[in-house]
Amino acid sequence: MLNIKENKSYNNFVITGTLSTIDVKEGRSKSTDAYPQGRDYVRVNAMVRLDQEINGVLTQCEVPIELYANKDYSKGDVNPIYTNGQKFKDFISLSAAGDKPEKATRISIGADGKKGGTINENVYIPAGTDKEMSITKFRMLGAKEAASKDVDCATFNLNNVVIGSVKEEVNRDGENTGRLKVKVILVGYQGRVDVVEFIAESENSQAYDFISENWNKGDTVNIVGRIKYSVKDEVKKVEQAFGEPLVEHYTKNVRELIITGGTMPNDEAQSYDMGDIQQALAERQARIEQAKQKANSVNKQKTSNVMGSEFDF
């Protein structure tokens, strides 16, 4: 079986599109015993706009990406991820380009076959509550200007990940939507795990039927898919006591990871031991409980991050 401490899940995304917003911050970290003068760092938050086909439907997406890196390692060598973050200062966003969108920088993350970045879980506790909330982060290693041959995309490729659960998605009325919600456990450094939700659709896709028939809790599998971060226009009809219904138009933000392909479960030799996975999940829950205590005791902070840099994420 796979050793959870030595064998990480392969976790990678590839994104090509036009930068719509860019925010680059530089600074120096607080003093520590190891670094009395602190360390220079760069933090990048950006949005990438792109058009891609997802299960036969052309979809405009806007995907948030981020990068954080200290300038140098303990031996004094410059961190290449820091250098990659610095490059964003030379890029132009659609917001900055104004009425000249053709001036905006089109970037590529991982399209050259190199690792682009990782999908990570970010659990946080809203201040004054003990309820945990989770969002998905796309942490890149860097980006470069896209080549003309690079087509718009936002894809992911995950190997040796563990199925946590497979459930039917239901709407507010309790009706099945024809989609599956798949909780996936990503194994990281030294056996630390993230839990991220994915979607399997039945329309224009084989994912729903295949996963229903072949994937079970505890299976180790490989998954590929598309990052669907978009805006959806919806219409709601509210029936009246008589006459015409009231028609309400609204938009809904869609934040989904759509499964478009995958493998049969791995054999035992290439699977994780469920005892190890359960232990890793217990350690994850312990971190969440610790964060709840911190959030409740420090009311002046709005949130308390669980999956921050203090845990090597």
Side-chain angles (χ1 to χ4, degrees), residues 142-204:
K144 65 176 186 178
E145 290 198 42
S148 58
K149 64 179 178 62
D150 296 332
V151 299
D152 278 13
C153 70
T155 65
F156 58 83
N157 179 15
L158 309 173
N159 294 345
N160 292 339
V161 297
V162 180
I163 302 302
S165 65
V166 178
K167 296 181 179 179
E168 292 278 356
E169 182 187 64
V170 296
N171 60 23
R172 286 182 238 183
D173 299 322
E175 302 167 331
N176 287 349
T177 63
R179 309 196 321 166
L180 296 174
K181 298 170 75 172
V182 184
K183 288 287 182 70
V184 175
I185 302 165
L186 308 175
V187 178
Y189 179 71
Q190 286 291 301
R192 182 190 175 95
V193 297
D194 283 4
V195 180
V196 178
E197 184 175 271
F198 294 74
I199 296 292
E201 299 180 326
S202 58
E203 188 172 356
N204 300 323

Side-chain angles (χ1 to χ4, degrees), residues 229-241:
Y229 274 45
S230 61
V231 176
K232 180 180 180 182
D233 293 322
E234 294 196 348
V235 178
K236 181 180 180 181
K237 290 185 178 181
V238 182
E239 298 296 335
Q240 307 299 298

Side-chain angles (χ1 to χ4, degrees), residues 78-290:
V78 175
N79 183 352
I81 301 177
Y82 175 89
T83 303
N84 292 340
Q86 291 283 320
K87 293 177 182 178
F88 275 79
K89 295 191 293 184
D90 298 324
F91 293 159
I92 300 172
S93 67
L94 287 167
S95 295
D99 59 357
K100 296 182 179 180
E102 69 279 3
K103 298 291 186 183
T105 306
R106 193 164 172 271
I107 67 165
S108 176
I109 303 170
D112 56 0
K114 296 180 180 178
K115 190 172 176 66
T118 58
I119 297 174
N120 298 109
E121 171 193 36
N122 188 73
V123 178
Y124 65 98
I125 315 299
T129 76
D130 59 358
K131 182 179 180 181
E132 65 213 57
M133 301 188 72
S134 177
I135 59 176
T136 303
K137 295 281 191 177
F138 303 97
R139 293 179 171 138
M140 61 177 163
L141 303 179
K144 65 176 186 178
E145 290 198 42
S148 58
K149 64 179 178 62
D150 296 332
V151 299
D152 278 13
C153 70
T155 65
F156 58 83
N157 179 15
L158 309 173
N159 294 345
N160 292 339
V161 297
V162 180
I163 302 302
S165 65
V166 178
K167 296 181 179 179
E168 292 278 356
E169 182 187 64
V170 296
N171 60 23
R172 286 182 238 183
D173 299 322
E175 302 167 331
N176 287 349
T177 63
R179 309 196 321 166
L180 296 174
K181 298 170 75 172
V182 184
K183 288 287 182 70
V184 175
I185 302 165
L186 308 175
V187 178
Y189 179 71
Q190 286 291 301
R192 182 190 175 95
V193 297
D194 283 4
V195 180
V196 178
E197 184 175 271
F198 294 74
I199 296 292
E201 299 180 326
S202 58
E203 188 172 356
N204 300 323
S205 173
Q206 301 174 17
Y208 181 98
D209 290 339
F210 181 90
I211 291 170
S212 297
E213 295 171 5
N214 297 291
W215 289 4
N216 295 290
K217 181 178 179 179
D219 287 341
T220 301
V221 300
N222 300 344
I223 303 174
V224 296
R226 300 267 175 175
I227 301 167
K228 185 179 182 181
Y229 274 45
S230 61
V231 176
K232 180 180 180 182
D233 293 322
E234 294 196 348
V235 178
K236 181 180 180 181
K237 290 185 178 181
V238 182
E239 298 296 335
Q240 307 299 298
F242 71 95
E244 295 183 16
L246 175 65
V247 179
E248 298 177 347
H249 296 266
Y250 61 98
T251 58
K252 176 184 178 182
N253 289 323
V254 177
R255 302 286 183 267
E256 296 175 342
L257 300 173
I258 305 295
I259 298 173
T260 59
T263 64
M264 292 292 290
N266 292 357
D267 60 24
E268 184 176 351
Q270 293 300 313
S271 297
Y272 293 102
D273 179 77
M274 275 308 296
D276 291 341
I277 293 295
Q278 290 168 355
Q279 176 61 36
L281 290 172
E283 292 170 0
R284 169 184 173 273
Q285 190 59 41
R287 292 193 295 271
I288 292 173
E289 295 304 322
Q290 184 180 36

